[in-house]
């Protein structure tokens, strides 16, 4: 899968994407990242990318021309497919979650536009992009960290990116639940013991225990997730009795 990133700070992506799961996915070619410096498409000799808001107000806004031209030149040169998602990163967008990560992972490529300063000229929002995504109800200084979060979470869902194909499926949110509690050696650390069932070797019972623990944790910590789950009668009764 290919990610096209539009940013004023290309260097911010160098180290975070070199390491770990994403670093390996890049090396193996399962993931490609094409970083575009928005400033390269500034239309004046001072390489201006921002300007004062009409009507006054604090801060500077990203001008439309460098962003439109940066995206359009990639499309014209067939570096970006015309019908692929073009996503603006913004606290005003729909809130990112695992379902959106799954939805994006089905595309061959997506583009992510990172804002800075006070944000974007509204014409970018209304006339260029196909989607607007926020990573939460808080304001960051730029769209680079949200872009990295999206690249990371979407890449994890691509076949072959993480070692065991099952491991993304066990993650929280994959099937709408929080993940069950996990333990590793030692089985007894200073009197804090691992639940007996996990040492039993009975895989059917372990699966049952994990499912129940997931349901329990989700009900206690994220009751808002429960209503969209499809549960068996037994699971419903279990939750009601908690
Ligand atoms: N004034 C803007 C507003 O209220 O919507 C916020 C501008 S913010 C300081 C600068 C840039 O950071 C945004 O244009 C956006 O690209 C990025 N950004 C900040 N918070 C974000 C969030 N929660 N999700 C996604 N992008 C965010």
């Amino acid at each position: 899968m290919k990610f096209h990133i539009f940013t004023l700070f290309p260097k911010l992506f160098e180290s975070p994407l070199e390491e770990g799961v994403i670093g390996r996915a890049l090396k193996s070619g399962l993931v490609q990242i094409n970083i575009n410096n928005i400033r390269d498409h500034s239309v004046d000799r001072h390489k201006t990318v921002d300007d004062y808001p009409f009507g006054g107000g604090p801060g500077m806004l990203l001008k439309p021309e460098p962003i439109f031209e940066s995206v359009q030149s990639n499309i014209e040169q067939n570096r970006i497919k015309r019908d692929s998602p073009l996503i603006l990163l913004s606290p005003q967008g729909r809130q990112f979650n695992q379902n959106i990560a799954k939805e994006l992972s089905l595309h061959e490529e997506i583009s992510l536009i990172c804002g800075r300063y006070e944000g974007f000229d509204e014409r970018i929002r209304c006339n260029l992009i196909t989607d607007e995504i926020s990573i939460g109800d808080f304001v960051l200084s730029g769209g680079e960290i949200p872009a990295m979060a999206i690249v990371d979470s979407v890449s994890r869902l691509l076949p072959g990116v993480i070692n065991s194909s099952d491991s993304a499926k066990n993650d929280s949110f994959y099937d709408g639940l929080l993940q069950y509690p996990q333990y590793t050696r030692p089985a007894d650390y200073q009197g804090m013991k691992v639940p007996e069932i996990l040492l039993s070797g009975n895989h059917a019972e372990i699966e049952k225990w994990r499912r129940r623990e997931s349901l329990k944790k989700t009900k206690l910590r994220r009751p808002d997730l429960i209503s969209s789950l499809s549960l068996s009668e037994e699971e419903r009764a279990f939750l009601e009795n908690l």
Side-chain angles (χ1 to χ4, degrees):
M1 178 168 182
K2 229 186 246 175
F3 296 90
H4 305 279
I5 293 172
F6 295 85
T7 172
L8 285 172
F9 297 101
K11 280 196 174 161
L12 286 179
F13 290 88
E14 283 172 10
S15 159
L17 298 178
E18 268 170 18
E19 309 287 342
V21 170
I22 306 303
R24 284 198 302 275
L26 281 169
K27 279 187 199 111
S28 67
L30 288 168
V31 169
Q32 289 175 43
I33 299 179
N34 161 28
I35 308 268
N36 299 274
N37 189 341
I38 295 168
R39 201 176 292 280
D40 292 343
H41 289 268
S42 165
V43 290
D44 66 48
R45 63 191 176 90
H46 301 293
K47 293 276 170 206
T48 313
V49 289
D50 55 332
D51 211 332
Y52 296 99
F54 279 125
M60 303 292 271
L61 289 178
L62 286 171
K63 288 163 67 64
E65 310 95 307
I67 295 185
F68 268 85
E69 300 207 0
S70 178
V71 170
Q72 280 165 351
S73 72
N74 270 281
I75 294 176
E76 276 154 23
Q77 291 166 37
N78 294 323
R79 284 202 290 259
I80 296 184
K81 284 201 182 128
R82 211 167 274 280
D83 58 354
S84 62
L86 192 48
I87 301 163
L88 194 72
L89 296 160
S90 142
Q92 303 174 28
R94 60 179 177 140
Q95 196 158 320
F96 192 61
N97 60 27
Q98 193 72 8
N99 284 337
I100 300 180
K102 276 189 212 165
E103 174 194 317
L104 297 179
S105 73
L106 302 177
H107 292 275
E108 279 174 35
E109 53 185 273
I110 62 171
S111 299
L112 299 163
I113 305 176
C114 308
R116 279 274 154 179
Y117 317 125
E118 276 306 304
F120 303 94
D121 180 290
E122 194 70 10
R123 287 166 289 186
I124 295 167
R125 184 170 273 124
C126 296
N127 301 293
L128 180 67
I129 56 154
T130 61
D131 198 354
E132 185 167 347
I133 290 181
S134 162
I135 61 159
D137 288 347
F138 46 84
V139 176
L140 297 163
S141 314
E144 288 77 11
I145 289 173
M148 287 176 209
I150 291 175
V151 169
D152 189 310
S153 56
V154 172
S155 299
R156 289 176 62 76
L157 299 174
L158 302 175
V161 167
I162 41 182
N163 292 338
S164 150
S165 60
D166 279 343
S167 94
K169 293 183 182 155
N170 288 333
D171 281 340
S172 293
F173 307 112
Y174 190 90
D175 60 0
L177 290 169
L178 300 184
Q179 195 178 36
Y180 45 81
Q182 301 207 83
Y183 301 85
T184 185
R185 270 178 280 267
D188 182 340
Y189 175 62
Q190 297 187 351
M192 294 176 271
K193 292 190 179 143
V194 168
E196 280 295 324
I197 181 75
L198 296 177
L199 311 175
S200 69
N202 183 336
H203 293 290
E205 284 303 313
I206 291 174
E207 279 316 301
K208 223 156 118 186
W209 180 86
R210 286 181 166 164
R211 175 81 182 166
R212 289 187 161 213
E213 288 299 313
S214 266
L215 286 165
K216 196 156 96 184
K217 218 180 203 186
T218 309
K219 168 130 188 210
L220 293 175
R221 296 185 177 194
R222 292 292 306 274
D224 56 302
L225 298 176
I226 297 285
S227 60
S228 43
L229 296 172
S230 56
L231 300 175
S232 67
E233 281 304 311
E234 194 190 338
E235 288 172 339
R236 277 194 195 289
F238 170 73
L239 284 178
E240 272 158 30
N241 289 332
L242 273 182

